[in-house]
């Protein structure tokens, strides 16, 4: 075009006719040729090639975007250009020649290496245009000949850059040889799954322009190419490489809906670094080629420089003892109207510690504590520490079998128990010391801490968490770790003598460790919620103002329900600080919090049981414009790393596994060296001998300010209402049932906002065991929250092409309601009222007499709501267990009526008695 314009211009100025020769063929001829030639065997052969290359839908390239991908693309875009440093272009061409490849192929191999790093995907398809002028006749023709080739790479074999380059060469040559099928035709033929949110087959493109610029030869006229900002982007990302004389220019056209300019800036920096690394060491594994810029490396180090000189050498109980000495007469703990001063708490714990010492407890002994929330529980836990041992919570809510397993697995020499709970324990060989009188006044005894041999590195507590292989695992934490965590918390949030901290988290969760011990370190007051109170929003709403609670914890799921509880405005009078942790804190919940409790601080903390409660923190801000709630920055003496599969640090924005390093990393799993070695790996960066990194299995990315953003899990661990569950453990338990051959458990959210555990199982015989059967079997082994709501029998499990269970293909539980159970209307006023309460709490349209609470989406938090409404409606108090034991409207109605009868009897008796007393003389009754 440029050449012909020049020739025409020159001719017309001189009044000559067009000097151009007549065209040998026109575009229409080309179109006709294409239609006629691309048929039959030729077409079939070309299509067969592409079907073989792309037949199984290439996976969508999951680029880490700055914003969620919109449902429909708008194609809004921008472009960012940079010049490759001088000489690199030539050096890359030379590298290509050495490997029988072109510069284009070298750049494609580098681009695919970059995409692998950014997406974590090995199967990568990149589109690339070809000129399509394969015949001399059409070379000079104006018109659209361009076609697009989909170049698929497989990086799964951990190739070196040179090996990848050879693969890319093969792929490109094969594609060129089959370039005649128009891409549109190919899409039609392969009919990949279509979506408005991304283009089919590939989502990123590489274009390579090396067209020698034609000189424009016209008198008195000059032609200068001008870049045009189209404001569009055809794909998620298009990398164009342009050679212009000495310059090699990279353009990154990108969707502005998906990416911020800064992200594209970082990405082009990585590409340049990668090209340089590949040039320097083409024989090196792609997975090892350095990509991070030096500035980025420095930045990551800086975000992790959290060193703080805390006095972490004393043990936890020694720090509490120091507080006892500072203010012995101050109230330390209250529970159900009873109190202990610091002196009383300290000496009660000393007395019990002495008995534990006599029973052989010392450094590294694990001591089980079976107790409900009470003064005795606090004394018991402190006593174990004072005796030099580590406490292991034996949550009385857990089924006997699970407690038995924990007792056996941890080989405890002795355990502390409230005697009334002992019935919950199965037979076990251990010795039991009673807790009943632990909080009673008694004589002062000498403190045993000095001679126990326990130090900062000793075991402080062991908490069992769900285990993916079917058995729970005991997580070990040292004094030093938890002490660091508590001292950090004190430095950060400063608890004072007037503060009151509510202890409501079950002590089988590590959050309880800060609830219990932070106030006791600092002279604040520890207020024990009543047993079960942690699941009762009404109770909490009453207790907070009554007790003047200033500081407390919420799991987001409970916070959500709590914030909708009437009357919580009254909590804002005393409440100063709310800490969330345990599961993701959604943005809209953060907003609702500031609406309902203005002036109260909200903090989002994150951390696994394996690393002393929490390792990152974030102060929530009302009106934060960032549109998400991060988990924040590492706490003191703690480092976090977001890494790829090769455990290499990833840059800002790119998701990877979160690893934790530093003082709070736990000591591993009790008596599980294999699992410990797998998850607690050597920390090469720390510079300390023996230092470990904990692999969390959490997926996260770093934000531009260094705060981490939690994205989910990379395995089958889930959090359901803040409770940590390995789906594999439920599957293993279910598979142990004699009539179950195979089982898979997933979390489904068929009703928005109500995620439920759903079990799919293949029965061994003809008749499938029923849901009630299976539920009962699981309840004997697993905590209530791990028992699925739904049990769906299948004749076989759906499998993916690679033979794994295809979790996405599992069917929705049938019938939309209680396993397709027939609707039986509730009968009588009590059933009707109950059904109405269920319908309201469970947000379902109607509830039948025989519907099962759990199958309708019920769980323990909702059960407590049902009970508080039952209390209001019938004036009867039912224990939470009732719902788990009976679970149907008809059954619970019976329990209500039974209670009403008992009450009526009591009232009648009382009235008779009082009448007897008031009219004794007449004696007529
Ligand atoms: P746990 O051992 O019970 O404390 O559970 C730890 C797991 O809970 C982490 O590995 C995360 O998956 C999840 N988790 C804890 N805190 C948060 C948080 N603030 N945001 C998102 N997930 C969290
Ligand atoms: Mg935690």
């Amino acid at each position: 075009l440029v050449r012909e314009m020049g020739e025409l211009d020159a001719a017309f100025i001189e009044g000559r006719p067009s000097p151009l020769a007549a065209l040998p063929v026109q575009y229409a001829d080309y179109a006709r040729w294409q239609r006629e030639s691309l048929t039959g065997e030729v077409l079939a052969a070309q299509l067969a090639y592409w079907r073989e290359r792309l037949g199984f839908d290439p996976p969508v390239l999951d680029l880490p975007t700055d914003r969620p991908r919109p449902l429909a693309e708008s194609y809004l875009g921008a472009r960012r250009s940079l010049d490759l440093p001088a000489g690199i272009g030539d050096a890359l061409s030379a590298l290509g020649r050495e490997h029988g490849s072109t510069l284009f192929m070298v750049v494609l191999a580098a681009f695919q290496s970059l995409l692998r790093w950014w997406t974590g995907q090995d199967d990568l398809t990149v589109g690339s245009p070809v000129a399509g002028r394969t015949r001399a006749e059409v070379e000079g023709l104006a018109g659209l000949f361009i076609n697009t080739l989909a170049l698929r790479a497989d990086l799964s074999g951990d190739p070196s850059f040179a090996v990848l380059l050879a693969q890319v060469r093969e792929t490109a040559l094969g594609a060129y040889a089959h370039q005649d099928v128009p891409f549109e035709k190919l899409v039609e033929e392969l009919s990949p799954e279509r979506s408005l949110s991304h283009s089919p087959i590939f989502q990123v493109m590489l274009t390579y322009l090396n067209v020698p610029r034609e000189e424009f030869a016209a008198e008195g006229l000059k032609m200068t190419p001008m870049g045009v900002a189209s404001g569009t982007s055809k794909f998620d990302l298009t990398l164009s490489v342009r050679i212009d004389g000495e310059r090699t220019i990279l353009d990154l056209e990108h969707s502005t809906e998906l990416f911020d300019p800064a992200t594209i800036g970082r990405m082009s920096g990585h590409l340049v670094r990668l090209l340089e690394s590949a040039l320097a060491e083409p024989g090196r594994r792609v997975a090892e080629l350095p990509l991070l810029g030096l500035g980025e490396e420095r930045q990551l180090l800086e975000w992790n420089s959290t060193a703080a000189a805390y006095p972490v050498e004393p043990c936890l109980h020694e720090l509490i003892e120091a507080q006892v000495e500072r203010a012995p007469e101050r109230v330390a703990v209250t529970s159900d109207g009873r109190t202990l001063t610091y002196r009383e708490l300290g000496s009660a714990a000393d007395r019990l510690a002495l008995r534990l010492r006599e029973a052989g407890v010392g450094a590294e002994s694990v001591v089980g504590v079976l107790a409900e929330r009470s003064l005795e529980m606090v004394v018991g836990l402190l006593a174990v520490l004072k005796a030099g041992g580590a406490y292991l919570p034996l949550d009385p809510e857990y089924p006997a079998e699970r407690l038995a397993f924990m007792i056996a697995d941890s080989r405890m020499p002795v355990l502390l128990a409230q005697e009334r709970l002992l019935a919950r324990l199965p037979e076990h060989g251990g010795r039991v010391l009673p807790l009943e009188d632990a909080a009673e006044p008694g004589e002062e005894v000498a403190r045993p801490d000095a001679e126990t041999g326990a130090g900062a590195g000793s075991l402080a507590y062991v908490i069992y968490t769900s285990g993916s292989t079917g058995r729970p695992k005991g997580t070990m934490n040292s004094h030093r770790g938890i002490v660091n965590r508590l001292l950090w918390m004190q430095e950060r949030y400063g608890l004072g003598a007037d503060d009151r901290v509510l202890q409501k988290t079950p002590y089988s969760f590590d959050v309880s460790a800060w609830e219990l011990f932070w106030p006791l370190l600092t002279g604040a007051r520890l207020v024990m919620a009543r047993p079960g109170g942690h699941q009762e929003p009404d109770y909490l709403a009453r207790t907070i103002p009554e007790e003047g609670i200033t500081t407390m914890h919420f799991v987001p799921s409970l916070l959500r329900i709590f914030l909708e509880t009437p009357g919580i405005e009254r909590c804002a009078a005393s409440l100063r600080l709310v800490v969330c942790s345990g599961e993701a804190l959604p943005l809209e919940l953060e907003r609702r919090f500031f609406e309902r409790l203005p002036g109260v601080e909200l903090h989002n903390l994150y951390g696994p049981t394996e690393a002393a409660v929490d390792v990152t923190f974030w102060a929530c801000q009302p009106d934060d414009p960032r549109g998400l709630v991060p988990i924040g920055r590492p706490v003191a003496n703690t480092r976090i790393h977001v890494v790829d599969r090769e455990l290499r640090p990833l840059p800002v924005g790119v998701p990877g596994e979160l690893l934790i390093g530093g003082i709070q990393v736990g000591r591993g799993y009790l008596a599980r060296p294999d699992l410990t070695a797998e998850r607690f790996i050597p920390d090469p960066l720390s510079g300390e001998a023996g230092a470990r990194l904990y692999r969390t299995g959490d997926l996260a990315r770093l934000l531009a300010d260094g705060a981490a953003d939690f994205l989910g899990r990379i395995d089958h661990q889930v959090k359901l209402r803040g409770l940590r569950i390995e789906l594999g453990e439920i599957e293993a338990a279910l598979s142990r049932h004699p009539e179950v051959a195979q089982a898979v458990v997933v979390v489904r959210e068929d009703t928005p906002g109500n995620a439920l555990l759903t079990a799919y199982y293949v029965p061994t015989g003809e008749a499938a065991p029923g849901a009630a059967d299976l539920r009962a079997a699981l309840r004997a082994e697993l905590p209530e929250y791990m028992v699925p709501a739904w049990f769906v029998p299948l004749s076989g499990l759906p499998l993916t092409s690679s033979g794994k269970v295809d979790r996405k293909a599992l069917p929705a539980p049938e019938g939309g309601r209680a396993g397709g159970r027939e609707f039986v209307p509730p009968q009588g006023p009590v059933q009707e009222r109950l059904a109405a309460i269920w319908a309201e709490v469970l947000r379902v349209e109607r509830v039948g007499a025989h519907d099962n609470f759990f199958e309708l989406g019920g769980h323990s938090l909702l059960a407590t709501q049902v009970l508080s409404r039952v209390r209001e409606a019938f004036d009867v108090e039912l224990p939470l267990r009732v719902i788990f034991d009976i679970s149907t409207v008809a059954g619970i109605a019976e329990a209500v009526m039974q209670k009403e009868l008992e009450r009526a009897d009591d009232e009648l008796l009382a009235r008779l008695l009082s009448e007897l007393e008031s009219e004794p003389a007449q004696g007529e009754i």
Side-chain angles (χ1 to χ4, degrees):
L1 186 68
V2 171
R3 180 174 41 85
E4 290 182 359
M5 261 182 72
E7 286 174 21
L8 288 174
D9 187 66
F12 294 161
I13 287 177
E14 289 168 14
R16 284 189 282 120
S18 163
L20 302 178
L23 288 170
V25 293
Q26 295 275 3
Y27 193 75
D29 302 319
Y30 166 77
R32 179 135 154 222
W33 165 83
Q34 188 184 50
R35 190 172 305 161
E36 281 169 5
S37 66
L38 255 190
T39 50
E41 265 170 44
V42 180
L43 178 65
Q46 293 235 345
L47 284 177
Y49 171 82
W50 290 110
R51 203 170 279 124
E52 201 260 313
R53 299 292 303 179
L54 306 172
F56 294 106
D57 269 3
V60 172
L61 194 66
D62 194 10
L63 283 168
T65 58
D66 293 307
R67 280 170 293 282
R69 184 177 287 276
L71 288 178
E73 284 183 291
S74 70
Y75 303 102
L76 291 177
R79 175 184 284 254
R80 184 186 173 104
S81 300
L82 87 159
D83 271 49
L84 274 187
I88 294 220
D90 287 343
L92 290 171
S93 300
L95 175 68
R97 275 194 304 278
E98 244 172 72
H99 292 83
S101 307
T102 62
L103 175 58
F104 168 78
M105 293 168 187
V106 175
V107 174
L108 178 57
F111 191 40
Q112 284 172 330
S113 306
L114 175 79
L115 293 173
R116 175 187 184 274
W117 196 52
W118 271 64
T119 61
Q121 287 169 238
D122 284 330
D123 184 348
L124 298 162
T125 302
V126 172
S128 187
V130 282
R133 295 170 196 262
T134 44
R135 309 178 73 103
E137 302 93 301
V138 300
E139 218 158 74
L141 206 57
L144 182 77
F145 293 86
I146 220 161
N147 190 17
T148 308
L149 304 178
L151 305 170
R152 189 172 189 175
D154 174 10
L155 283 88
S156 62
D158 195 18
S160 68
F161 188 80
V163 167
L164 174 64
L165 185 55
Q167 186 197 108
V168 163
R169 177 176 180 273
E170 282 306 295
T171 304
L173 292 179
Y176 296 152
H178 299 87
Q179 63 172 288
D180 291 337
V181 197
F183 185 69
E184 301 72 25
K185 177 85 183 155
L186 200 61
V187 172
E188 199 182 294
E189 284 291 324
L190 296 179
S191 62
E193 208 174 292
R194 301 302 299 267
S195 157
L196 288 175
S197 70
H198 56 76
S199 60
I201 299 186
F202 64 85
Q203 294 77 45
V204 302
M205 178 172 254
L206 174 65
T207 76
Y208 177 75
L209 287 172
N210 188 10
V211 188
R213 189 178 299 157
E214 290 278 350
E215 282 309 308
F216 180 62
E219 285 258 334
L221 285 180
K222 237 179 85 187
M223 193 151 100
T224 317
M226 296 171 67
V228 176
S230 65
T232 61
S233 176
K234 289 177 280 300
F235 301 96
D236 289 359
L237 194 66
T238 303
L239 171 66
S240 312
V241 183
R242 250 181 319 132
I243 311 293
D244 186 2
E246 299 286 281
R247 296 169 62 201
T248 306
I249 305 153
L250 302 182
D251 287 316
L252 273 169
E253 182 184 272
H254 57 278
S255 156
T256 46
E257 267 180 325
L258 301 180
F259 300 107
D260 289 334
T263 304
I264 298 302
R266 274 192 301 275
M267 189 185 268
S268 39
H270 298 150
L271 183 59
V272 174
R273 182 90 206 273
L274 182 68
L275 287 168
E276 289 170 341
S277 317
L279 270 179
E281 296 178 274
R284 198 158 174 193
R285 294 162 56 217
V286 165
E288 281 177 355
L289 292 175
L291 303 106
L292 268 188
L294 296 177
E296 285 177 306
E297 279 174 9
R298 215 174 304 122
Q299 178 66 265
L300 292 181
L301 279 178
E302 210 175 290
W303 284 333
N304 268 333
S305 43
T306 55
Y310 291 160
V312 289
E313 287 316 303
C315 289
L316 176 53
H317 52 277
E318 288 167 340
L319 291 171
I320 296 174
E321 199 52 51
Q323 185 54 42
V324 169
E325 274 160 26
R326 279 196 292 273
E329 300 315 323
R330 197 180 283 160
V331 170
V333 48
T334 74
S335 174
D336 195 20
R338 300 158 65 211
T339 63
L340 287 179
T341 64
Y342 275 86
R343 184 203 302 286
E344 289 165 343
L345 172 63
S347 69
D350 286 339
R351 280 191 295 280
L352 188 53
L354 207 61
R355 300 184 53 197
L356 287 166
R357 292 285 294 153
E358 284 160 12
V361 172
E364 301 296 311
S365 325
V366 177
V367 180
V369 179
L370 176 73
E372 287 188 313
R373 257 193 305 274
S374 56
L375 294 183
E376 289 74 22
M377 175 195 266
V378 184
V379 172
L381 298 177
L382 188 54
V384 173
L385 297 176
K386 285 192 161 211
Y391 70 83
L392 163 57
L394 295 171
D395 194 329
E397 292 283 305
Y398 284 174
E401 265 187 54
R402 197 174 190 80
L403 294 177
F405 172 78
M406 285 156 57
I407 291 171
D409 191 49
S410 62
R411 302 202 178 84
M412 54 181 67
V414 53
L415 65 93
L416 293 172
Q418 288 176 319
E419 278 179 318
R420 68 195 141 89
L421 300 176
L422 279 176
R424 303 265 170 86
L425 280 190
E427 279 299 303
H428 63 95
R431 200 175 140 197
V432 180
L433 291 184
L435 264 178
E436 255 65 24
D437 57 355
E440 296 302 317
E443 62 190 47
E444 296 283 322
V445 298
R447 271 163 49 194
D449 3 335
E451 73 266 22
T452 62
S458 300
L459 202 55
Y461 61 89
V462 176
I463 285 182
Y464 274 78
T465 63
S466 182
S468 60
T469 50
R471 293 288 180 205
K473 52 190 190 282
T475 302
M476 303 190 287
N477 276 280
S478 67
H479 281 267
R480 193 182 284 124
I482 185 65
V483 164
N484 183 80
R485 168 64 183 68
L486 294 171
L487 294 178
W488 164 80
M489 198 170 203
Q490 178 58 7
E491 180 187 59
R492 188 78 207 171
Y493 308 118
L495 217 50
D498 295 331
D499 276 303
R500 291 169 180 210
V501 179
L502 186 65
Q503 204 290 299
K504 69 164 184 48
T505 303
Y507 68 147
S508 44
F509 300 99
D510 64 351
V511 169
S512 60
W514 74 249
E515 290 177 338
L516 285 160
F517 302 120
W518 183 28
L520 297 182
L521 284 183
T522 57
R525 182 181 297 190
L526 171 62
V527 179
M528 304 297 280
R530 75 174 183 207
H534 59 283
Q535 290 182 320
E536 298 176 46
D538 295 335
Y539 164 78
L540 296 174
R542 260 181 289 126
T543 303
I544 294 164
E546 268 170 31
E547 298 281 349
I549 300 300
T550 64
T551 307
M552 65 184 294
H553 177 267
F554 274 105
V555 168
S557 310
L558 178 60
L559 182 63
R560 183 187 298 279
I561 297 174
F562 176 74
L563 289 180
E564 304 313 324
T565 306
I568 61 154
E569 302 76 14
R570 290 176 48 230
C571 298
S574 63
L575 205 54
R576 172 176 78 86
L577 183 81
V578 168
V579 174
C580 268
S581 72
E583 65 186 348
L585 176 59
L587 184 67
E588 89 286 350
L589 186 58
E590 179 196 63
R591 293 209 178 109
R592 186 69 182 145
F593 179 91
F594 289 120
E595 243 168 60
R596 293 282 281 152
L597 294 172
V600 183
E601 285 178 37
L602 178 66
H603 297 269
N604 185 26
L605 271 50
Y606 155 90
T609 310
E610 285 85 343
V613 192
D614 299 298
V615 292
T616 70
F617 69 105
W618 179 257
C620 298
Q621 295 297 330
D623 314 318
D624 190 346
R626 64 174 71 216
L628 55 93
V629 188
I631 55 172
R633 302 279 299 270
V635 304
N637 300 315
T638 298
R639 295 176 291 276
I640 58 169
H641 310 280
V642 176
V643 299
D644 67 6
R645 279 178 289 165
E646 282 79 28
L647 305 182
R648 294 189 308 167
L650 285 163
V652 162
V654 178
E657 187 180 6
L658 189 71
L659 307 192
I660 300 168
I663 194 167
Q664 285 183 210
V665 172
R667 289 188 7 190
Y669 301 110
L670 191 67
R672 299 288 297 275
D674 47 340
L675 190 59
T676 302
E678 191 185 313
R679 303 310 289 258
F680 293 80
I681 58 173
D683 181 354
L685 306 168
S686 83
E688 293 156 41
R692 308 254 141 195
L693 287 169
Y694 173 63
R695 297 188 69 159
T696 63
D698 286 325
L699 195 64
R701 62 178 176 157
L702 292 174
L703 302 172
D705 61 358
D709 179 26
F710 174 85
L711 299 168
R713 291 290 301 177
I714 56 179
D715 56 14
H716 295 310
Q717 179 183 306
V718 298
K719 275 282 173 139
L720 203 59
R721 290 171 276 287
L723 304 165
R724 175 169 162 179
I725 300 171
E726 292 285 357
L727 296 173
E729 186 177 350
I730 311 176
E731 289 164 1
L734 203 50
S735 305
R736 282 196 288 270
H737 191 283
E739 289 170 277
V740 172
Q742 267 180 301
V744 193
V745 177
V746 298
V747 174
R748 297 187 70 103
E749 197 169 328
D750 292 314
T751 322
N754 195 10
L756 295 176
L757 283 172
T758 305
Y760 296 86
Y761 63 103
V762 181
T764 38
E766 285 287 284
D773 247 23
L774 297 173
R775 185 172 293 120
L778 291 186
R779 282 188 66 202
E781 275 187 62
L782 301 174
E784 217 66 77
Y785 60 84
M786 286 176 71
V787 178
W790 290 86
F791 292 87
V792 183
L794 295 174
S795 55
L797 298 176
L799 299 182
T800 63
S801 51
S802 60
K804 291 197 196 132
V805 174
D806 188 352
R807 288 167 183 259
K808 287 203 197 81
L810 291 165
E814 242 170 49
R817 55 174 293 113
R821 182 176 289 132
E822 201 185 316
F823 177 76
V824 178
Q827 281 170 11
V830 177
Q831 284 196 8
E832 278 167 12
R833 194 70 202 276
L834 262 180
I837 291 176
W838 282 31
E840 197 184 313
V841 171
L842 296 169
R843 287 171 214 223
V844 295
E845 229 164 86
R846 59 172 197 180
V847 174
H850 301 305
D851 284 355
N852 182 299
F853 183 75
F854 298 99
E855 289 176 357
L856 291 179
H859 49 75
S860 57
L861 281 180
L862 294 177
T864 56
Q865 286 182 284
V866 164
L867 291 185
S868 79
R869 278 167 220 225
V870 165
R871 199 183 309 128
E872 270 165 40
F874 302 103
D875 196 24
V876 299
E877 189 90 34
L878 292 178
L880 188 61
R881 292 245 131 214
V882 164
I883 298 202
F884 287 99
D885 290 341
I886 307 179
S887 321
T888 65
V889 166
I892 292 177
E894 212 165 295
V896 168
M897 289 187 283
Q898 183 63 34
K899 282 268 178 188
E900 280 182 328
L901 272 181
E902 283 168 17
R903 196 188 51 222
D905 281 355
D906 289 350
E907 280 171 7
L908 189 64
L909 195 64
R911 211 175 59 231
L912 288 176
L913 285 174
S914 77
E915 281 173 20
L916 263 177
E917 271 170 22
S918 61
E919 295 170 89
Q922 298 183 358
E924 286 173 354
I925 300 173

